[in-house]
Amino acid sequence: MSQGQNSITSGVQNGSHRKPAVIPFSSRLIEGRALAQDVWSIFNAANLPSDCLNFGQGYMNFAPPRWITAAAEEALNTVGPNHYSHPKGRPRLRQAIKQFYGPQFNRDLDSESEILVTSGANEGQYSVFTAFLEHGDEVIIFEPFFDQYLPSVVFNGGKPVYVPLHPPSREITKPTSNDWTINFEELRASVTPRTKMIIVNTPHNPVGKVFTRAELEKIADLAIEFNLLVMADEVYDCLVFDNKEHVRIATFPGMWERTVTVGSAGKSFAATGWRVGWLIGPASIISPTLAASTRIVFCTNSPLQEAAAAGLEQVAERRFFETQLKDYQERRDTFVSAFDRLGVTYTLPEGTYFVLMDSSNIKFPDDYPFPKSVLGRGRDFRACWFVAMEIGVSSIPVSEFYCEEHMAIGENYIRFSFCKDLDTLKAGVERLQNLKPYLA
Ligand code: GLN
């Protein structure tokens, strides 16, 4: 398949005489679905009208707290943190992670061997795959999935195996993220002698599902039975609503030694561009991952590690996560009122800052002037483009979170991010009412 290869080559050749590239690129880009333009670049604010309200890529339109940016400033004006960090991460940040998260894992974490600071959660995950996957090892991924997992697994020789989160049945008029369900027979059937890992993303992007203790227990039992490594992607751990419980699978009996938990300063402190994340796990997982990470990025940017440390050091006394959670719950409730008023079906998220709307009823003309980037993709790409252009509200097509074979499921949904200030959310709610004439 060389749609991507052609498009890159034709970009150079500008037209129909496709000559092979002078220097052919690696086939892993095709296998890792990296050639089709990524959804974040297509629905980037830079490509949309300047007055379009951005509810697409998940980043905030407000700054990190002043007491955290002050720590960043101070670090920038100090010699040490302008230079390389230890590849494990700066001691102050590892200490802060130990203090804040240790109790949540019921452990006295060893900041030398059980914590690794990474260049965003993404790099941490990539390094785990590099450290643990042999060619052909299978990684179980619940679908829909955060799009970056696929290339990260494939680039490291792994093979993704998809297990569905089944969408709520059409009879449920007001579904919540808990109505996206796992069939445990299917999960068990997906395990083969080559299965090495399972990724458990809770709270889940893009569904907002907060995996229940019962679900996690069954996953843990399977991981133990088949000796699987569990990657617990918990980057939205501070965003669990409605008094639901965020359960860490690493805390279950027999799970610490096989689980690596992923965290993110970006999500916690409204600082997604800082690219500061971390991994928590046993030395037997952290140490090979450190070996990989050191040879991929060497270390993570230093000044912002100091700032993230200042953040974690103070969250408890400032009750920062408690206050932030209340704010987010208000943001969620404000934003979803748009769908209630429109009478469209959506999944009320119990966690994260994402909400899925059923977009199958949005009508748009087939001959709408769509850009090339959304043609030949799922219907939801065109729906999102149309909504951005006509309504002035951007969102993300959910088929991007499905493998090619299952894209037809994802095509029915579009994802909005509500990590925005209340005024913007209210403006979004009003604008979205203009969708009415386009709903079948
Ligand atoms: N996690 C962010 C989201 O889902 C996007 C991260 C990225 O752009 N790679 O919106």
Short mmCIF file of all heavy atoms in Angstrom, two decimals, residues 18-82:
data_model
loop_
_atom_site.label_atom_id
_atom_site.label_comp_id
_atom_site.label_asym_id
_atom_site.label_seq_id
_atom_site.Cartn_x
_atom_site.Cartn_y
_atom_site.Cartn_z
N ARG A 18 5.07 9.83 -10.91
CA ARG A 18 5.61 9.45 -9.62
C ARG A 18 6.89 8.70 -9.82
O ARG A 18 6.89 7.59 -10.33
CB ARG A 18 4.62 8.58 -8.87
CG ARG A 18 3.59 9.42 -8.19
CD ARG A 18 2.79 8.54 -7.28
NE ARG A 18 1.41 8.95 -7.35
CZ ARG A 18 0.46 8.21 -7.91
NH1 ARG A 18 0.76 7.02 -8.40
NH2 ARG A 18 -0.76 8.65 -7.93
N LYS A 19 7.98 9.31 -9.43
CA LYS A 19 9.24 8.59 -9.45
C LYS A 19 9.47 8.09 -8.04
O LYS A 19 9.09 8.75 -7.09
CB LYS A 19 10.37 9.55 -9.83
CG LYS A 19 10.46 9.78 -11.32
CD LYS A 19 11.89 10.09 -11.72
CE LYS A 19 12.05 11.59 -11.93
NZ LYS A 19 13.40 12.07 -11.92
N PRO A 20 10.06 6.95 -7.88
CA PRO A 20 10.37 6.53 -6.51
C PRO A 20 11.29 7.56 -5.86
O PRO A 20 12.07 8.22 -6.56
CB PRO A 20 11.07 5.18 -6.69
CG PRO A 20 11.25 4.98 -8.15
CD PRO A 20 10.55 6.06 -8.90
N ALA A 21 11.15 7.69 -4.55
CA ALA A 21 12.01 8.64 -3.85
C ALA A 21 13.47 8.25 -4.06
O ALA A 21 13.78 7.07 -4.22
CB ALA A 21 11.68 8.63 -2.37
N VAL A 22 14.35 9.23 -4.07
CA VAL A 22 15.77 8.94 -4.22
C VAL A 22 16.22 8.02 -3.10
O VAL A 22 16.87 7.00 -3.32
CB VAL A 22 16.59 10.25 -4.20
CG1 VAL A 22 18.08 9.95 -4.28
CG2 VAL A 22 16.16 11.15 -5.35
N ILE A 23 15.86 8.38 -1.90
CA ILE A 23 16.20 7.57 -0.73
C ILE A 23 14.90 6.99 -0.17
O ILE A 23 14.13 7.73 0.43
CB ILE A 23 16.88 8.41 0.37
CG1 ILE A 23 18.01 9.29 -0.19
CG2 ILE A 23 17.38 7.51 1.50
CD1 ILE A 23 19.21 8.53 -0.71
N PRO A 24 14.61 5.72 -0.37
CA PRO A 24 13.34 5.17 0.12
C PRO A 24 13.30 5.16 1.65
O PRO A 24 14.32 4.89 2.29
CB PRO A 24 13.33 3.73 -0.41
CG PRO A 24 14.57 3.55 -1.21
CD PRO A 24 15.47 4.72 -1.01
N PHE A 25 12.14 5.52 2.18
CA PHE A 25 12.04 5.53 3.64
C PHE A 25 11.61 4.17 4.16
O PHE A 25 11.16 3.32 3.39
CB PHE A 25 11.11 6.64 4.12
CG PHE A 25 9.75 6.62 3.48
CD1 PHE A 25 8.79 5.73 3.90
CD2 PHE A 25 9.45 7.52 2.46
CE1 PHE A 25 7.54 5.72 3.31
CE2 PHE A 25 8.21 7.51 1.87
CZ PHE A 25 7.25 6.61 2.29
N SER A 26 11.74 4.01 5.45
CA SER A 26 11.50 2.70 6.06
C SER A 26 10.03 2.30 6.01
O SER A 26 9.14 3.13 6.23
CB SER A 26 11.96 2.75 7.52
OG SER A 26 11.36 1.69 8.23
N SER A 27 9.79 1.03 5.78
CA SER A 27 8.43 0.51 5.73
C SER A 27 7.74 0.60 7.08
O SER A 27 6.53 0.47 7.17
CB SER A 27 8.44 -0.93 5.24
OG SER A 27 9.20 -1.70 6.16
N ARG A 28 8.52 0.82 8.15
CA ARG A 28 7.84 0.88 9.45
C ARG A 28 6.90 2.08 9.53
O ARG A 28 5.95 2.07 10.30
CB ARG A 28 8.84 0.87 10.60
CG ARG A 28 9.67 2.11 10.78
CD ARG A 28 10.42 2.07 12.11
NE ARG A 28 11.45 1.04 12.14
CZ ARG A 28 12.70 1.19 11.71
NH1 ARG A 28 13.10 2.35 11.23
NH2 ARG A 28 13.56 0.21 11.77
N LEU A 29 7.14 3.09 8.71
CA LEU A 29 6.22 4.24 8.71
C LEU A 29 4.85 3.83 8.19
O LEU A 29 3.82 4.31 8.65
CB LEU A 29 6.78 5.39 7.87
CG LEU A 29 8.03 6.07 8.39
CD1 LEU A 29 8.39 7.26 7.51
CD2 LEU A 29 7.84 6.55 9.83
N ILE A 30 4.85 2.92 7.21
CA ILE A 30 3.58 2.45 6.66
C ILE A 30 2.92 1.52 7.68
O ILE A 30 1.76 1.70 8.04
CB ILE A 30 3.80 1.71 5.32
CG1 ILE A 30 4.41 2.70 4.32
CG2 ILE A 30 2.49 1.13 4.80
CD1 ILE A 30 4.95 2.03 3.06
N GLU A 31 3.69 0.56 8.17
CA GLU A 31 3.12 -0.40 9.13
C GLU A 31 2.62 0.31 10.38
O GLU A 31 1.64 -0.10 10.99
CB GLU A 31 4.17 -1.46 9.50
CG GLU A 31 4.44 -2.42 8.35
CD GLU A 31 5.88 -2.94 8.36
OE1 GLU A 31 6.56 -2.84 9.40
OE2 GLU A 31 6.31 -3.44 7.30
N GLY A 32 3.29 1.36 10.79
CA GLY A 32 2.91 2.09 11.99
C GLY A 32 1.88 3.19 11.73
O GLY A 32 1.66 4.03 12.58
N ARG A 33 1.26 3.14 10.55
CA ARG A 33 0.22 4.09 10.18
C ARG A 33 0.67 5.54 10.41
O ARG A 33 -0.08 6.38 10.89
CB ARG A 33 -1.05 3.81 11.00
CG ARG A 33 -2.31 4.27 10.29
CD ARG A 33 -3.57 3.83 10.99
NE ARG A 33 -3.89 4.62 12.16
CZ ARG A 33 -4.97 4.43 12.91
NH1 ARG A 33 -5.81 3.46 12.63
NH2 ARG A 33 -5.20 5.18 13.98
N ALA A 34 1.93 5.78 10.09
CA ALA A 34 2.47 7.10 10.38
C ALA A 34 2.47 8.00 9.16
O ALA A 34 2.77 9.19 9.27
CB ALA A 34 3.89 6.97 10.93
N LEU A 35 2.12 7.43 8.00
CA LEU A 35 2.19 8.27 6.80
C LEU A 35 0.93 9.08 6.57
O LEU A 35 0.99 10.20 6.10
CB LEU A 35 2.47 7.41 5.57
CG LEU A 35 3.92 6.91 5.49
CD1 LEU A 35 4.09 6.09 4.24
CD2 LEU A 35 4.90 8.07 5.50
N ALA A 36 -0.22 8.47 6.87
CA ALA A 36 -1.44 9.24 6.77
C ALA A 36 -1.28 10.38 7.77
O ALA A 36 -0.87 10.13 8.91
CB ALA A 36 -2.63 8.38 7.13
N GLN A 37 -1.61 11.58 7.36
CA GLN A 37 -1.38 12.71 8.26
C GLN A 37 -2.12 12.51 9.59
O GLN A 37 -3.26 12.06 9.60
CB GLN A 37 -1.84 14.00 7.60
CG GLN A 37 -1.17 15.22 8.18
CD GLN A 37 -1.69 16.51 7.57
OE1 GLN A 37 -2.65 16.52 6.80
NE2 GLN A 37 -1.07 17.60 7.93
N ASP A 38 -1.46 12.79 10.69
CA ASP A 38 -2.08 12.56 12.00
C ASP A 38 -3.20 13.57 12.24
O ASP A 38 -3.19 14.70 11.73
CB ASP A 38 -1.03 12.62 13.12
CG ASP A 38 -0.52 14.02 13.32
OD1 ASP A 38 0.37 14.43 12.56
OD2 ASP A 38 -1.03 14.72 14.20
N VAL A 39 -4.14 13.12 13.02
CA VAL A 39 -5.37 13.89 13.22
C VAL A 39 -5.09 15.24 13.90
O VAL A 39 -5.77 16.22 13.67
CB VAL A 39 -6.37 13.01 14.01
CG1 VAL A 39 -5.98 12.91 15.46
CG2 VAL A 39 -7.76 13.50 13.87
N TRP A 40 -4.07 15.28 14.74
CA TRP A 40 -3.76 16.50 15.49
C TRP A 40 -3.25 17.60 14.56
O TRP A 40 -3.50 18.78 14.78
CB TRP A 40 -2.73 16.21 16.59
CG TRP A 40 -3.05 14.93 17.28
CD1 TRP A 40 -2.37 13.75 17.18
CD2 TRP A 40 -4.17 14.66 18.13
NE1 TRP A 40 -3.00 12.77 17.91
CE2 TRP A 40 -4.10 13.30 18.51
CE3 TRP A 40 -5.23 15.44 18.61
CZ2 TRP A 40 -5.04 12.70 19.33
CZ3 TRP A 40 -6.17 14.84 19.43
CH2 TRP A 40 -6.07 13.50 19.78
N SER A 41 -2.54 17.16 13.51
CA SER A 41 -2.04 18.13 12.55
C SER A 41 -3.16 18.63 11.63
O SER A 41 -3.21 19.80 11.28
CB SER A 41 -0.93 17.53 11.69
OG SER A 41 0.10 17.04 12.52
N ILE A 42 -4.07 17.71 11.24
CA ILE A 42 -5.16 18.12 10.33
C ILE A 42 -6.09 19.10 11.03
O ILE A 42 -6.43 20.15 10.50
CB ILE A 42 -5.97 16.88 9.86
CG1 ILE A 42 -5.07 15.92 9.09
CG2 ILE A 42 -7.17 17.32 9.02
CD1 ILE A 42 -5.75 14.61 8.73
N PHE A 43 -6.50 18.73 12.25
CA PHE A 43 -7.45 19.59 12.97
C PHE A 43 -6.73 20.57 13.89
O PHE A 43 -7.23 20.95 14.94
CB PHE A 43 -8.50 18.75 13.70
CG PHE A 43 -9.42 18.08 12.74
CD1 PHE A 43 -9.18 16.79 12.27
CD2 PHE A 43 -10.50 18.77 12.21
CE1 PHE A 43 -10.00 16.20 11.33
CE2 PHE A 43 -11.34 18.18 11.27
CZ PHE A 43 -11.08 16.89 10.83
N ASN A 44 -5.56 20.96 13.48
CA ASN A 44 -4.77 21.93 14.22
C ASN A 44 -5.38 23.31 14.04
O ASN A 44 -5.86 23.64 12.94
CB ASN A 44 -3.34 21.90 13.67
CG ASN A 44 -2.37 22.53 14.64
OD1 ASN A 44 -2.38 23.74 14.82
ND2 ASN A 44 -1.56 21.72 15.27
N ALA A 45 -5.35 24.09 15.11
CA ALA A 45 -5.90 25.45 15.03
C ALA A 45 -5.31 26.21 13.84
O ALA A 45 -5.99 27.03 13.22
CB ALA A 45 -5.63 26.19 16.34
N ALA A 46 -4.07 25.89 13.49
CA ALA A 46 -3.42 26.60 12.39
C ALA A 46 -4.14 26.39 11.05
O ALA A 46 -4.03 27.21 10.16
CB ALA A 46 -1.96 26.14 12.27
N ASN A 47 -4.87 25.27 10.91
CA ASN A 47 -5.55 25.00 9.63
C ASN A 47 -7.00 25.45 9.63
O ASN A 47 -7.70 25.27 8.65
CB ASN A 47 -5.57 23.48 9.36
CG ASN A 47 -4.18 22.92 9.24
OD1 ASN A 47 -3.25 23.66 8.89
ND2 ASN A 47 -4.01 21.65 9.53
N LEU A 48 -7.47 25.95 10.76
CA LEU A 48 -8.90 26.27 10.89
C LEU A 48 -9.07 27.79 10.96
O LEU A 48 -8.11 28.50 11.29
CB LEU A 48 -9.46 25.59 12.14
CG LEU A 48 -9.36 24.06 12.12
CD1 LEU A 48 -9.73 23.47 13.48
CD2 LEU A 48 -10.25 23.47 11.03
N PRO A 49 -10.27 28.28 10.67
CA PRO A 49 -10.47 29.73 10.75
C PRO A 49 -10.11 30.25 12.14
O PRO A 49 -10.31 29.54 13.13
CB PRO A 49 -11.97 29.89 10.50
CG PRO A 49 -12.41 28.62 9.85
CD PRO A 49 -11.49 27.55 10.29
N SER A 50 -9.59 31.46 12.21
CA SER A 50 -9.06 31.93 13.49
C SER A 50 -10.16 32.10 14.54
O SER A 50 -9.89 32.06 15.73
CB SER A 50 -8.30 33.24 13.29
OG SER A 50 -9.18 34.18 12.72
N ASP A 51 -11.41 32.27 14.09
CA ASP A 51 -12.48 32.43 15.09
C ASP A 51 -13.14 31.10 15.46
O ASP A 51 -14.15 31.08 16.17
CB ASP A 51 -13.51 33.45 14.60
CG ASP A 51 -14.16 33.00 13.30
OD1 ASP A 51 -13.67 32.00 12.69
OD2 ASP A 51 -15.16 33.63 12.88
N CYS A 52 -12.59 30.01 14.97
CA CYS A 52 -13.13 28.69 15.31
C CYS A 52 -12.80 28.40 16.78
O CYS A 52 -11.65 28.58 17.21
CB CYS A 52 -12.49 27.66 14.39
SG CYS A 52 -13.17 26.02 14.55
N LEU A 53 -13.78 27.97 17.56
CA LEU A 53 -13.50 27.64 18.96
C LEU A 53 -12.88 26.24 19.01
O LEU A 53 -13.43 25.29 18.45
CB LEU A 53 -14.79 27.68 19.79
CG LEU A 53 -15.45 29.07 19.92
CD1 LEU A 53 -16.79 28.95 20.64
CD2 LEU A 53 -14.52 30.04 20.66
N ASN A 54 -11.77 26.13 19.70
CA ASN A 54 -11.00 24.89 19.65
C ASN A 54 -11.38 23.92 20.77
O ASN A 54 -11.00 24.10 21.91
CB ASN A 54 -9.51 25.23 19.72
CG ASN A 54 -8.65 23.98 19.78
OD1 ASN A 54 -9.10 22.90 19.38
ND2 ASN A 54 -7.44 24.12 20.27
N PHE A 55 -12.13 22.89 20.39
CA PHE A 55 -12.42 21.80 21.33
C PHE A 55 -11.84 20.49 20.79
O PHE A 55 -12.34 19.41 21.06
CB PHE A 55 -13.94 21.67 21.54
CG PHE A 55 -14.56 22.91 22.13
CD1 PHE A 55 -15.30 23.78 21.33
CD2 PHE A 55 -14.39 23.23 23.46
CE1 PHE A 55 -15.86 24.93 21.86
CE2 PHE A 55 -14.95 24.38 24.00
CZ PHE A 55 -15.68 25.24 23.20
N GLY A 56 -10.79 20.64 19.98
CA GLY A 56 -10.19 19.48 19.33
C GLY A 56 -9.13 18.83 20.19
O GLY A 56 -9.42 18.15 21.18
N GLN A 57 -7.87 19.09 19.83
CA GLN A 57 -6.77 18.48 20.59
C GLN A 57 -6.89 18.90 22.06
O GLN A 57 -7.22 20.04 22.36
CB GLN A 57 -5.44 18.98 20.02
CG GLN A 57 -4.24 18.24 20.54
CD GLN A 57 -2.96 18.73 19.87
OE1 GLN A 57 -2.88 19.87 19.42
NE2 GLN A 57 -1.96 17.87 19.82
N GLY A 58 -6.59 17.94 22.95
CA GLY A 58 -6.79 18.19 24.37
C GLY A 58 -5.70 19.05 24.99
O GLY A 58 -4.73 18.53 25.52
N TYR A 59 -5.86 20.35 24.90
CA TYR A 59 -5.00 21.23 25.68
C TYR A 59 -5.79 22.43 26.16
O TYR A 59 -6.82 22.78 25.58
CB TYR A 59 -3.73 21.64 24.92
CG TYR A 59 -3.96 22.45 23.65
CD1 TYR A 59 -3.99 23.83 23.68
CD2 TYR A 59 -4.12 21.80 22.44
CE1 TYR A 59 -4.19 24.56 22.52
CE2 TYR A 59 -4.32 22.53 21.27
CZ TYR A 59 -4.34 23.91 21.32
OH TYR A 59 -4.55 24.62 20.17
N MET A 60 -5.34 23.01 27.24
CA MET A 60 -6.13 24.01 27.93
C MET A 60 -5.97 25.38 27.28
O MET A 60 -4.92 25.67 26.71
CB MET A 60 -5.70 24.11 29.41
CG MET A 60 -5.79 22.80 30.18
SD MET A 60 -4.43 21.68 29.67
CE MET A 60 -4.82 20.20 30.57
N ASN A 61 -6.98 26.22 27.43
CA ASN A 61 -6.81 27.61 26.98
C ASN A 61 -6.57 28.52 28.18
O ASN A 61 -6.89 29.70 28.15
CB ASN A 61 -8.00 28.07 26.14
CG ASN A 61 -9.26 28.28 26.96
OD1 ASN A 61 -9.37 27.77 28.07
ND2 ASN A 61 -10.21 29.03 26.43
N PHE A 62 -6.04 27.92 29.26
CA PHE A 62 -5.63 28.71 30.42
C PHE A 62 -4.25 28.24 30.84
O PHE A 62 -3.81 27.14 30.47
CB PHE A 62 -6.63 28.59 31.58
CG PHE A 62 -7.10 27.18 31.85
CD1 PHE A 62 -6.40 26.34 32.69
CD2 PHE A 62 -8.27 26.70 31.24
CE1 PHE A 62 -6.83 25.04 32.93
CE2 PHE A 62 -8.71 25.40 31.47
CZ PHE A 62 -7.99 24.57 32.32
N ALA A 63 -3.56 29.13 31.57
CA ALA A 63 -2.16 28.87 31.92
C ALA A 63 -2.06 27.96 33.15
O ALA A 63 -3.02 27.82 33.91
CB ALA A 63 -1.46 30.19 32.21
N PRO A 64 -0.89 27.36 33.35
CA PRO A 64 -0.67 26.64 34.61
C PRO A 64 -0.77 27.64 35.77
O PRO A 64 -0.62 28.84 35.56
CB PRO A 64 0.76 26.12 34.48
CG PRO A 64 1.12 26.24 33.04
CD PRO A 64 0.28 27.34 32.47
N PRO A 65 -0.99 27.15 37.00
CA PRO A 65 -1.06 28.07 38.13
C PRO A 65 0.22 28.90 38.24
O PRO A 65 1.32 28.40 37.96
CB PRO A 65 -1.19 27.15 39.34
CG PRO A 65 -1.61 25.84 38.80
CD PRO A 65 -1.17 25.75 37.38
N ARG A 66 0.05 30.13 38.68
CA ARG A 66 1.17 31.08 38.78
C ARG A 66 2.30 30.54 39.68
O ARG A 66 3.46 30.74 39.41
CB ARG A 66 0.60 32.41 39.31
CG ARG A 66 1.57 33.54 39.34
CD ARG A 66 1.91 34.05 37.94
NE ARG A 66 3.08 34.95 38.00
CZ ARG A 66 4.32 34.58 37.70
NH1 ARG A 66 4.59 33.36 37.28
NH2 ARG A 66 5.30 35.44 37.82
N TRP A 67 1.91 29.85 40.77
CA TRP A 67 2.94 29.35 41.69
C TRP A 67 3.75 28.23 41.06
O TRP A 67 4.84 27.90 41.54
CB TRP A 67 2.34 28.91 43.04
CG TRP A 67 1.11 28.05 42.92
CD1 TRP A 67 -0.17 28.48 42.74
CD2 TRP A 67 1.04 26.62 42.97
NE1 TRP A 67 -1.03 27.40 42.66
CE2 TRP A 67 -0.32 26.26 42.80
CE3 TRP A 67 1.98 25.61 43.13
CZ2 TRP A 67 -0.77 24.93 42.80
CZ3 TRP A 67 1.54 24.28 43.14
CH2 TRP A 67 0.18 23.96 42.96
N ILE A 68 3.27 27.67 39.97
CA ILE A 68 4.08 26.66 39.27
C ILE A 68 4.94 27.33 38.20
O ILE A 68 6.13 27.01 38.08
CB ILE A 68 3.18 25.57 38.66
CG1 ILE A 68 2.41 24.85 39.78
CG2 ILE A 68 4.01 24.58 37.86
CD1 ILE A 68 1.56 23.69 39.33
N THR A 69 4.37 28.29 37.48
CA THR A 69 5.20 28.96 36.46
C THR A 69 6.30 29.79 37.14
O THR A 69 7.38 29.97 36.58
CB THR A 69 4.36 29.84 35.52
OG1 THR A 69 3.59 30.76 36.30
CG2 THR A 69 3.44 29.01 34.65
N ALA A 70 6.03 30.27 38.36
CA ALA A 70 7.08 31.01 39.09
C ALA A 70 8.27 30.08 39.35
O ALA A 70 9.43 30.50 39.25
CB ALA A 70 6.52 31.55 40.40
N ALA A 71 7.98 28.83 39.64
CA ALA A 71 9.07 27.87 39.89
C ALA A 71 9.83 27.59 38.59
O ALA A 71 11.05 27.38 38.60
CB ALA A 71 8.50 26.57 40.46
N ALA A 72 9.11 27.62 37.45
CA ALA A 72 9.78 27.43 36.15
C ALA A 72 10.74 28.60 35.90
O ALA A 72 11.88 28.41 35.47
CB ALA A 72 8.75 27.34 35.03
N GLU A 73 10.24 29.80 36.18
CA GLU A 73 11.05 30.99 35.98
C GLU A 73 12.30 30.96 36.84
O GLU A 73 13.41 31.23 36.38
CB GLU A 73 10.21 32.20 36.42
CG GLU A 73 10.11 33.30 35.41
CD GLU A 73 9.06 34.30 35.88
OE1 GLU A 73 9.42 35.20 36.66
OE2 GLU A 73 7.88 34.14 35.49
N GLU A 74 12.09 30.58 38.07
CA GLU A 74 13.23 30.52 38.99
C GLU A 74 14.26 29.50 38.48
O GLU A 74 15.47 29.76 38.49
CB GLU A 74 12.73 30.11 40.38
CG GLU A 74 13.80 30.26 41.45
CD GLU A 74 13.32 29.72 42.80
OE1 GLU A 74 12.11 29.83 43.09
OE2 GLU A 74 14.16 29.17 43.54
N ALA A 75 13.77 28.37 37.97
CA ALA A 75 14.70 27.35 37.46
C ALA A 75 15.48 27.87 36.26
O ALA A 75 16.68 27.62 36.13
CB ALA A 75 13.91 26.09 37.09
N LEU A 76 14.79 28.63 35.41
CA LEU A 76 15.46 29.17 34.22
C LEU A 76 16.55 30.17 34.60
O LEU A 76 17.49 30.39 33.85
CB LEU A 76 14.45 29.86 33.30
CG LEU A 76 13.65 28.92 32.40
CD1 LEU A 76 12.48 29.66 31.75
CD2 LEU A 76 14.55 28.32 31.31
N ASN A 77 16.38 30.78 35.77
CA ASN A 77 17.36 31.77 36.21
C ASN A 77 18.39 31.20 37.17
O ASN A 77 19.06 31.93 37.89
CB ASN A 77 16.63 32.97 36.82
CG ASN A 77 15.88 33.74 35.74
OD1 ASN A 77 16.46 34.06 34.70
ND2 ASN A 77 14.60 33.98 35.95
N THR A 78 18.47 29.87 37.19
CA THR A 78 19.44 29.20 38.04
C THR A 78 20.30 28.33 37.11
O THR A 78 19.78 27.76 36.15
CB THR A 78 18.70 28.30 39.06
OG1 THR A 78 17.69 29.09 39.69
CG2 THR A 78 19.63 27.74 40.11
N VAL A 79 21.59 28.27 37.37
CA VAL A 79 22.49 27.58 36.42
C VAL A 79 22.13 26.10 36.27
O VAL A 79 21.89 25.61 35.16
CB VAL A 79 23.97 27.74 36.84
CG1 VAL A 79 24.87 26.92 35.90
CG2 VAL A 79 24.38 29.20 36.82
N GLY A 80 22.08 25.40 37.37
CA GLY A 80 21.95 23.93 37.33
C GLY A 80 20.84 23.44 36.41
O GLY A 80 21.09 22.67 35.47
N PRO A 81 19.60 23.88 36.64
CA PRO A 81 18.49 23.34 35.84
C PRO A 81 18.44 23.82 34.40
O PRO A 81 17.47 23.55 33.70
CB PRO A 81 17.24 23.80 36.61
CG PRO A 81 17.69 24.59 37.75
CD PRO A 81 19.16 24.72 37.75
N ASN A 82 19.45 24.54 33.93
CA ASN A 82 19.52 24.84 32.50
C ASN A 82 20.35 23.80 31.76
O ASN A 82 20.54 23.89 30.55
CB ASN A 82 20.09 26.23 32.26
CG ASN A 82 19.02 27.29 32.49
OD1 ASN A 82 18.11 27.44 31.69
ND2 ASN A 82 19.10 27.98 33.62
#
